[in-house]
Amino acid sequence: MNATPAARLLTPEVLAGLANLELVARTAVEGFLVGLHRSPRFGFSQEFAEFRAYVEGDDPRFVDWNVFARTERTYVRRYQGETNTRLFVLLDASASMAYQSATVSKLQYGKYLAAALAYLASRQHDPVGLIVFDESIRHYRPPSSRAGSLQGVLHALDSTTPGKRTDIEGCFLKFREHMSRRGLVAVISDLYCDPVAMSRAVQPLAYTGHDIMFFHVLDPGELEPRWRDSVLFEDMESGQTMEVSPEYLESRYQQRLLEHLDGVRKAAGGMGADLMLARTDEPLDRALRRYLMFRQRH
Amino acid sequence: MLLAPLFLVGLLAIGLPLWLHRFARDTRTKEPFASLMLLEPSQIHRSREHTLKYLFLLALRIALLLLIVLAFAQPVLPWRAPPLEARDRTLHVVVLDTSLSMQQGERWTRALEKARALIDAMKPADQGMLVTADSRVRVVRGPVNASDKAELRAALASIKPTAARLDYGMLMTSASSWLGTNRPPTQFHFITDLQQSATPLQFADLEPPAGVKLVLQDVGTADATNQYVRSVGPSQHDANTLEVRVGGTAPPNTERTVILTVDGKERGRKTLSPNDPRALFPGIAMGPGTHRAMVALEPPDSLPQDDQHFAVLERREPRALIIGANSNGDDVTYFAAAVGALTNPRLAVERTGSDALSQNALAEYATLVVSDVGVLSNAATSAIQRYLEGGGAVLMTLGPRSAQQKRIPLSGHTVAGGGLGNRSEDGGARRVAAIDDSHPALRESQGWRSVRFFRYVPIEPLPDDLVLIRLEDGRPLLIERRIGAGRLLVLTSPLDRDWNDLGVHPLFVRFVGEAARYLTASAAAPNTTVGSVLPTRLGARDGGQVFDPRGRRVLALSDTAGSARLMAEHIGFYEVRGGGRSDWIAVNADARESELARMPPTSIEQWNTLQTSAPAAANGSVPNAEPRSELKSIWPWLLLIAVTLAFIEPLVANSHLHVRRGVTT
């Protein structure tokens, strides 16, 4: 039975009904893979690229011993994206990620996204690591492609709950201790921080060769807040309150939000990182497809 | 003024909504937001509409609490009630004629309209009373204040006309008893059709009680015609021809047909001749036994209730049983000869000894004659006793055997002197001193005073006895006594030449004949009128049931054993089942009700002026024309308003909160 494109889209509401995070990830990934018609360019490092001469430090496991036997030269197999094989998923679990105006919160959506990325990587036997942070690192799982590592990542994601404030700058300073080897770093956060400070914190990672990808997760209630009357907002992280008029939300807030998104995008671009805005009401497979298309273009 | 001022402490509860509203103002609902990083505080201007809603809700809640507290405190207000106008207070007695004739045409509708108008016209200080009158006078609703007119109207709606007869004399003479004496000045509104046949024999009986002003409300019409079936029975000339007699006048230009039905089968139709009020149905052969005949006139006229007539026809000779010590004795023979000489009704006479009686056989006899009741055995006494209780009729004499007993069998009288009966002190005969010649059994009373009584059994009359003949010494000679539904005539001297010379006197045959006719007529009565008392002939030991013409049980369970009489209320055949037999009683409307002729205007005028000159003092009233000062409690009204506010408050509160929430997604 051929499903219509609309039916293939897995809405966050549907995924929220699945209790098992692995099932969520598998459903989302398999769903969008079917939509890609088995595209050959879907992985991180699947494709064979070239042979190159062995240099010190290369993993001897990748030496092509058959060629060595014939030519007595040591070559190693090179794969496209070989340098990005390690996937670090950095999940922001601060209190602000618990915001929810629709079916799922930003944290839930981020967890689905992280699980789907992890599943996608492990499907290609790439090591997957996980760091859950708010104002400090709450959970760390080093990258591993061993059997059972995916379940470990998924279990860690599953047990993640909203924490306290966010301190991206401080956390990224610590990430460098854990991410000595290059890899793909997927940052899933609502990025409520100063773009300049963010740039300052993330730049060292970019300079060490990490391919950084920001998933800017935002709720529709944040992007398009609609209130008929004045409302007393309470900051979910600081607890501060502020009474805001609907007129402000419709005009000035929208303007400031766009400025912030633009600032974040510029900051990411300045450090060579990619940024993708993910709305929590967007179907997950569509977000993944957008991500892969985005990766393909760059 | 407050009856329970302590409840005012509850007013402190008003502080609760005040505090709640203040608290609610200070603690607005906080909406969580991811970050205030991009937000700035705004200058908030609350709308006037919201403020008004807020204040309205607060006022509503305070008012609700205030009303509840006040309701519990039971406030009363001084209220000056209008004076009762006791001087003008009048008791309006609305008497509705519910007799059969009121069902003619539109009479009943007009009567109800008049009654309604009278009730509506009563003043607030007046009293109203609703009464129906036919063969019985019923007070449907006792004196109620005119302010409760609804009660009178409801009672009026429940009244239905009956098939019974009304006698104006009975109504007016009984009025003083059911009106009572302690009453204000009374107006007696009599709503009737002023039927000529309802007037009593003595015009003076129409006089209203003292202090009662009669107001005749005429609902009759002068030109009303009615034709009805007067009787149905065997023709005098031919037993197999049934003769139907019709009374009244037929509606103009209407040809009416008489339909005869016997035992449920139509036996013939005859068209009535305008000049002949009879219709003969020859060749109606009916076997022995009881037959039910029904005659109907078609088409129905304006009073269709009397267009049907019911009759129970007996096709057997009533029998009389003479009981004596010896069935061939002189006394038995004498009695048999006297009863057998009776021509109307003709009785078949049988004789038996006292030892050959059976109860079932007794039920077939119209009357019994017992010569010297002392000869009866206990079993025979019991059998006759049951026969009597079931509506039988017995003529018995007391003789030598009776005189030997202390208590007379059947009648239960005590014998005053022992021995063989009293003799006169001078040895001569006693004669009759007093005779009640109005009694049907003594219509032919000439000759009683010439009869000599040498001896008799002296008995003490019981309180409910009717002494018909007394001897010179004051002792009773002939007594009538009711036992159950039956009648018993007791002659205290036997048919014996040693005791009297009654047997050789010409009076004897006449007396026995009249007594037998009286007893037979009173015992049978299978045809009667509505409002009459029916003998059910149900004995206390056997029990039974009576079914009215609609097939409904008449007797309650407690009455099924031994209810000797009941009042017939419906036209048709009543069936009496009991004692192993089933009897039918035909009940018809009284023919006088079918006569719609009105009272002459002069009689009506005389009746209107027939007022007692000295009206009774209105001692039921207390003159008091001053306005009454009363305390009127208003807590029910306060509670009612509070309940209304309690329904409004959630609506207003919901509207208010809805604005405050204000989320659209």
Side-chain angles (χ1 to χ4, degrees):
Chain A
M1 184 169 62
N2 292 326
T4 62
R8 281 204 309 272
L9 302 179
L10 299 170
T11 61
E13 291 85 352
V14 174
L15 293 177
L18 303 175
N20 190 303
L21 202 55
E22 182 180 357
L23 187 61
V24 171
R26 186 188 294 273
T27 309
V29 171
E30 298 293 347
F32 93 84
L33 286 183
V34 170
L36 286 177
H37 301 290
R38 307 297 296 173
S39 168
R41 297 185 290 273
F42 59 83
F44 296 110
S45 56
Q46 180 71 15
E47 293 78 28
F48 172 78
E50 60 176 352
F51 282 107
R52 68 168 174 81
Y54 174 78
V55 294
E56 191 175 343
D58 283 340
D59 193 334
R61 285 181 296 174
F62 298 117
V63 172
D64 192 334
W65 296 110
N66 291 330
V67 175
F68 177 76
R70 289 199 301 271
T71 64
E72 293 187 349
R73 291 179 183 176
T74 51
Y75 292 95
V76 293
R77 289 172 183 268
R78 297 281 295 181
Y79 293 88
Q80 186 178 355
E82 189 185 9
T83 55
N84 296 337
T85 51
R86 286 170 185 267
L87 172 64
F88 284 100
V89 177
L90 274 59
L91 178 63
D92 179 3
S94 63
S96 64
M97 288 290 282
Y99 182 73
Q100 169 183 1
S101 70
T103 312
V104 294
S105 66
K106 291 189 287 185
L107 182 60
Q108 267 182 301
Y109 195 83
K111 283 155 76 172
Y112 295 159
L113 202 55
L117 293 172
Y119 180 77
L120 196 58
S122 72
R123 200 168 176 271
Q124 297 167 169
H125 309 292
D126 291 333
V128 179
L130 174 69
I131 295 176
V132 178
F133 69 96
D134 44 23
E135 58 185 355
S136 62
I137 295 176
R138 286 170 53 192
H139 194 88
Y140 170 65
R141 255 194 103 76
S144 170
S145 58
R146 274 185 270 176
S149 68
L150 176 66
Q151 275 68 36
V153 169
L154 295 178
H155 180 72
L157 286 171
D158 203 20
S159 59
T160 299
T161 54
K164 302 171 184 172
R165 295 170 174 234
T166 324
D167 184 7
I168 287 184
E169 198 171 358
C171 287
F172 270 76
L173 284 174
K174 295 173 186 173
F175 293 160
R176 279 184 283 177
E177 300 170 9
H178 299 288
M179 295 186 291
S180 55
R181 298 182 65 176
R182 289 180 300 170
L184 174 64
V185 179
V187 183
I188 303 172
S189 171
D190 52 7
L191 297 178
Y192 276 116
C193 58
D194 181 13
V196 178
M198 186 191 79
S199 175
R200 192 168 51 241
V202 180
Q203 223 161 21
L205 278 180
Y207 289 163
T208 54
H210 286 289
D211 190 359
I212 300 171
M213 176 78 195
F214 283 101
F215 289 93
H216 193 179
V217 183
L218 285 176
D219 190 278
E222 293 170 295
L223 293 168
E224 298 146 0
R226 281 183 291 183
W227 295 80
R228 275 198 305 198
D229 200 11
S230 62
V231 59
L232 187 67
F233 281 136
E234 181 182 32
D235 192 303
M236 296 177 73
E237 291 190 1
S238 65
Q240 291 178 326
T241 57
M242 187 183 291
E243 191 158 17
V244 183
S245 69
E247 294 80 16
Y248 174 83
L249 291 172
E250 285 175 9
S251 55
R252 179 74 182 132
Y253 173 76
Q254 294 291 336
Q255 190 181 343
R256 292 192 67 180
L257 180 66
L258 288 175
E259 287 172 0
H260 176 68
L261 293 177
D262 194 44
V264 172
R265 189 174 295 110
K266 281 180 180 170
M271 69 184 83
D274 300 323
L275 185 138
M276 195 185 85
L277 181 64
R279 290 170 61 109
T280 56
D281 58 349
E282 181 183 20
L284 195 55
D285 53 348
R286 184 188 290 171
L288 288 172
R289 179 197 293 264
R290 214 151 49 84
Y291 159 70
L292 288 178
M293 295 301 173
F294 185 85
R295 295 286 298 173
Q296 190 181 346
R297 287 196 299 270
H298 292 76
Chain B
M1 183 187 287
L2 300 169
L3 295 181
L6 276 180
F7 277 101
L8 290 181
V9 178
L11 286 176
L12 294 175
I14 292 175
L16 185 65
L18 286 173
W19 180 79
L20 280 175
H21 278 243
R22 181 180 176 80
F23 181 75
R25 265 198 120 121
D26 293 343
T27 57
R28 298 190 56 200
T29 307
K30 294 172 184 171
E31 296 292 339
F33 201 67
S35 173
L36 302 183
M37 197 179 82
L38 304 177
L39 298 176
E40 291 173 1
S42 308
Q43 186 70 31
I44 307 301
H45 298 285
R46 297 187 190 286
S47 70
R48 184 181 180 83
E49 181 193 4
H50 294 171
T51 307
L52 283 176
K53 281 188 177 175
Y54 169 84
L55 291 176
F56 180 64
L57 180 63
L58 178 63
L60 199 64
R61 287 172 172 170
I62 290 175
L64 178 62
L65 283 171
L66 192 65
L67 285 168
I68 292 173
V69 169
L70 281 177
F72 274 90
Q74 297 189 32
V76 289
L77 293 177
W79 180 65
R80 290 177 74 80
L84 278 178
E85 301 175 4
R87 291 180 202 279
D88 301 330
R89 176 183 287 174
T90 306
L91 171 62
H92 294 273
V93 183
V94 180
V95 182
L96 270 166
D97 178 356
T98 52
S99 64
L100 177 76
S101 61
M102 289 293 286
Q103 300 184 53
Q104 194 269 340
E106 298 296 319
R107 290 184 183 187
W108 183 246
T109 308
R110 289 198 294 271
L112 290 178
E113 286 171 0
K114 287 241 180 197
R116 279 191 211 102
L118 286 169
I119 292 170
D120 291 341
M122 289 179 193
K123 296 175 188 171
D126 290 346
Q127 288 185 316
M129 186 174 177
L130 196 59
V131 177
T132 63
D134 42 60
S135 58
R136 289 182 284 187
V137 178
R138 299 181 187 87
V139 177
V140 180
R141 195 70 186 92
V144 294
N145 290 328
S147 55
D148 299 326
K149 288 178 183 174
E151 286 186 37
L152 292 173
R153 287 194 202 99
L156 179 67
S158 66
I159 298 175
K160 298 276 184 288
T162 67
R165 175 176 180 264
L166 168 64
D167 185 315
Y168 293 156
M170 182 274 294
L171 171 67
M172 301 310 292
T173 51
S174 66
S176 57
S177 63
W178 49 262
L179 278 176
T181 54
N182 190 11
R183 61 173 188 271
T186 304
Q187 286 200 3
F188 192 102
H189 304 276
F190 185 26
I191 304 173
T192 181
D193 52 2
L194 293 172
Q195 212 176 352
Q196 171 69 40
S197 60
T199 51
L201 292 175
Q202 297 182 8
F203 197 80
D205 289 345
L206 294 177
E207 182 181 1
V212 174
K213 176 175 172 50
L214 178 69
V215 182
L216 292 174
Q217 307 282 350
D218 185 9
V219 294
T221 48
D223 55 348
T225 60
N226 180 43
Q227 194 172 37
Y228 61 97
V229 182
R230 187 188 293 274
S231 65
V232 57
S235 168
Q236 289 184 343
H237 309 292
D238 182 6
N240 289 332
T241 298
L242 286 183
E243 179 180 316
V244 176
R245 288 188 170 272
V246 177
T249 53
N253 305 322
T254 305
E255 196 172 61
R256 306 197 81 188
T257 305
V258 182
I259 303 170
L260 173 67
T261 306
V262 178
D263 293 331
K265 293 180 182 176
E266 185 178 320
R267 303 296 292 268
R269 285 174 179 252
K270 294 281 183 184
T271 302
L272 269 178
S273 166
N275 301 322
D276 189 3
R278 293 185 309 163
L280 296 174
F281 291 86
I284 307 295
M286 293 184 286
T290 304
H291 300 275
R292 286 171 292 148
M294 189 194 81
V295 177
L297 284 176
E298 286 190 355
D301 57 9
S302 58
L303 185 58
Q305 285 76 12
D306 61 359
D307 288 346
Q308 286 187 326
H309 190 89
F310 301 85
V312 174
L313 304 176
E314 298 275 1
R315 279 290 185 179
R316 65 183 170 212
E317 284 186 337
R319 293 187 294 169
L321 181 63
I322 317 298
I323 305 167
N326 182 359
S327 62
N328 295 318
D330 291 343
D331 52 347
V332 172
T333 304
Y334 269 54
F335 272 120
V339 173
L342 197 64
T343 55
N344 184 23
R346 180 171 293 281
L347 295 172
V349 182
E350 296 177 16
R351 297 186 287 183
T352 182
S354 60
D355 53 350
L357 281 177
S358 71
Q359 184 195 349
N360 289 340
L362 289 184
E364 300 295 326
Y365 293 99
T367 187
L368 304 183
V369 178
V370 183
S371 179
D372 193 359
V373 72
V375 302
L376 295 177
S377 63
N378 288 337
T381 304
S382 300
I384 297 174
Q385 186 84 28
R386 288 196 292 274
Y387 168 78
L388 267 174
E389 289 172 352
V394 174
L395 169 65
M396 72 179 195
T397 60
L398 308 182
R401 299 282 293 273
S402 306
Q404 295 171 3
Q405 302 185 17
K406 292 182 179 176
R407 185 177 292 272
I408 303 297
L410 292 180
S411 68
H413 290 108
T414 306
V415 178
L420 296 176
N422 272 6
R423 280 181 184 275
S424 60
E425 291 174 358
D426 55 1
R430 293 194 184 279
R431 295 183 185 272
V432 169
I435 303 175
D436 182 2
D437 54 6
S438 64
H439 194 273
L442 298 174
R443 282 176 190 156
E444 305 280 339
S445 58
Q446 296 85 351
W448 272 103
R449 296 183 194 277
S450 59
V451 181
R452 294 177 299 169
F453 292 90
F454 310 113
R455 297 168 65 184
Y456 62 95
V457 179
I459 57 174
E460 294 293 338
L462 295 172
D464 52 349
D465 281 352
L466 186 62
V467 179
L468 303 177
I469 301 178
R470 287 186 186 276
L471 295 172
E472 290 169 333
D473 60 357
R475 293 286 183 185
L477 176 66
L478 182 66
I479 293 175
E480 180 177 1
R481 177 168 178 73
R482 290 183 176 274
I483 297 178
R487 296 181 182 199
L488 175 65
L489 287 177
V490 182
L491 188 66
T492 57
S493 190
L495 199 59
D496 188 329
R497 291 293 303 275
D498 291 338
W499 286 59
N500 55 60
D501 60 356
L502 180 62
V504 297
H505 219 279
L507 171 72
F508 171 70
V509 175
R510 292 204 308 270
F511 165 66
V512 173
E514 289 295 329
R517 181 185 294 120
Y518 167 67
L519 293 173
T520 306
S522 61
N527 299 309
T528 186
T529 57
V530 174
S532 307
V533 175
L534 301 180
T536 62
R537 305 181 190 178
L538 297 177
R541 299 176 191 175
D542 301 326
Q545 182 56 274
V546 180
F547 297 87
D548 70 6
R550 297 170 298 178
R552 295 178 184 170
R553 289 178 170 81
V554 176
L555 301 180
L557 190 60
S558 56
D559 297 331
T560 52
S563 178
R565 294 181 185 83
L566 64 92
M567 181 171 281
E569 294 181 337
H570 303 284
I571 295 173
F573 292 110
Y574 278 74
E575 184 181 8
V576 182
R577 294 181 194 165
R581 53 185 289 176
S582 175
D583 292 326
W584 295 93
I585 301 172
V587 177
N588 294 292
D590 195 307
R592 287 171 288 187
E593 275 299 317
S594 301
E595 299 288 349
L596 299 182
R598 286 164 56 79
M599 290 173 70
T602 51
S603 300
I604 298 173
E605 193 178 341
Q606 284 177 347
W607 192 6
N608 269 321
T609 57
L610 198 64
Q611 300 288 329
T612 305
S613 55
N619 46 9
S621 61
V622 179
N624 180 14
E626 294 298 319
R628 293 168 294 140
S629 182
E630 292 181 357
L631 291 176
K632 192 172 181 68
S633 180
I634 60 169
W635 71 265
W637 296 103
L638 296 177
L639 207 55
L640 184 68
I641 299 171
V643 169
T644 310
L645 290 185
F647 277 107
I648 296 172
E649 192 270 344
L651 300 176
V652 177
N654 189 47
S655 165
H656 183 71
L657 292 174
H658 179 66
V659 171
R660 288 216 19 222
R661 204 173 295 122
V663 181
T664 57
T665 56

